[in-house]
């Protein structure tokens, strides 16, 4: 199975706004397949197209029922859009395949409603109050150039400062 190279912080492509996908053609299906294979290779639970250098609005996620649901089936979402979120938040430790070695607790809405197109071009909707909703918000953020580290408090940011500096050095020497 074809897999793709990951882009790492602070690659500027991670800060670009991704473009809407006009049709679910074979190219998009192949990209989704390769992204799922890449997510498995990296043992991730979600991946957004900009993380493999493609600024199109496509994400893949594991449809996890809870945080231990490791056999959850994968799902590809084309042009995903957050329709509504609850006011109440919950905090959970996040990481990102594009920011290796960095983890921090992020507050996100409990209830998430997302609309998207499946690979057959049908409009679909997911409502979730758990880890899946959190993964969706994290991945959809990638399509708008937002990273989970953007949400951290200054105290949290100071804790990961040296790791981010190291990633910047690795990036500029690559
Ligand atoms: Co990420």
């Amino acid at each position: 199975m074809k897999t793709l190279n990951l882009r790492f912080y602070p690659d500027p492509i991670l800060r670009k706004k991704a473009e809407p996908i006009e049709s679910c053609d074979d190219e998009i299906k192949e990209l989704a397949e390769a992204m799922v294979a890449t997510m498995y290779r990296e043992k991730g639970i979600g991946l957004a197209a900009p993380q493999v250098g493609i600024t199109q609005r496509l994400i893949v996620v594991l449809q996890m029922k809870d945080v231990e649901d490791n056999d959850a089936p994968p799902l590809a979402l084309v042009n995903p859009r957050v329709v509504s979120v609850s006011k109440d938040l919950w905090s959970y430790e996040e990481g990102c395949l594009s920011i290796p070695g960095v983890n921090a607790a992020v507050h996100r809405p409990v209830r998430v409603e997302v609309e998207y197109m499946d690979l057959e071009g049908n409009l679909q909707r997911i409502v979730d109050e758990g880890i899946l909703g959190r993964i969706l918000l994290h991945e959809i953020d990638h399509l708008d150039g937002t990273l989970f580290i953007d949400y951290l408090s200054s105290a949290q940011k100071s804790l990961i400062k040296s790791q981010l500096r190291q990633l910047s050095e690795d990036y500029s020497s690559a």
Side-chain angles (χ1 to χ4, degrees):
M1 182 70 73
K2 187 188 168 199
T3 62
L4 303 159
N5 290 330
L6 282 181
R7 299 298 190 97
F8 296 105
Y9 173 93
D11 190 321
I13 204 163
L14 296 173
R15 293 306 193 176
K16 289 215 172 111
K17 194 172 167 68
E19 297 292 328
I21 291 167
E22 281 172 19
S23 74
C24 298
D25 54 18
D26 286 349
E27 205 178 317
I28 292 299
K29 286 176 187 157
E30 278 165 32
L31 174 60
E33 219 170 87
M35 283 172 58
V36 168
T38 306
M39 172 173 70
Y40 281 129
R41 183 193 73 203
E42 301 293 331
K43 299 182 170 45
I45 57 178
L47 189 67
Q51 294 182 273
V52 291
I54 294 169
T55 49
Q56 299 208 64
R57 301 188 80 82
L58 174 64
I59 65 172
V60 297
V61 300
L62 292 185
Q63 300 175 74
M64 298 173 78
K65 291 190 187 70
D66 56 59
V67 294
E68 286 170 9
D69 186 12
N70 296 316
D71 298 324
L75 178 70
L77 297 89
V78 176
N79 298 335
R81 186 171 73 87
V82 179
V83 178
S84 70
V85 294
S86 62
K87 283 207 181 77
D88 45 327
L89 308 175
W90 66 299
S91 177
Y92 192 74
E93 182 133 313
E94 294 189 19
C96 180
L97 294 178
S98 294
I99 317 175
V102 175
N103 293 282
V106 179
H107 293 276
R108 292 197 191 265
V110 172
R111 185 179 179 280
V112 177
E113 184 177 358
V114 168
E115 214 172 65
Y116 66 99
M117 243 165 30
D118 65 24
L119 290 173
E120 309 308 320
N122 304 307
L123 196 62
Q124 304 281 1
R125 183 175 296 239
I126 293 176
V127 178
D128 192 72
E129 298 189 4
I131 190 69
L132 176 58
R134 174 173 292 271
I135 299 169
L136 289 169
L137 292 175
H138 176 120
E139 302 309 333
I140 293 171
D141 269 353
H142 273 296
L143 304 180
D144 295 316
T146 300
L147 302 173
F148 83 94
I149 52 174
D150 300 344
Y151 295 113
L152 304 183
S153 67
S154 47
Q156 285 178 302
K157 279 181 181 150
S158 69
L159 287 173
I160 61 165
K161 215 165 90 184
S162 63
Q163 283 110 305
L164 292 185
R165 196 187 305 124
Q166 186 61 54
L167 287 171
S168 294
E169 284 170 20
D170 295 348
Y171 181 77
S172 45
S173 64

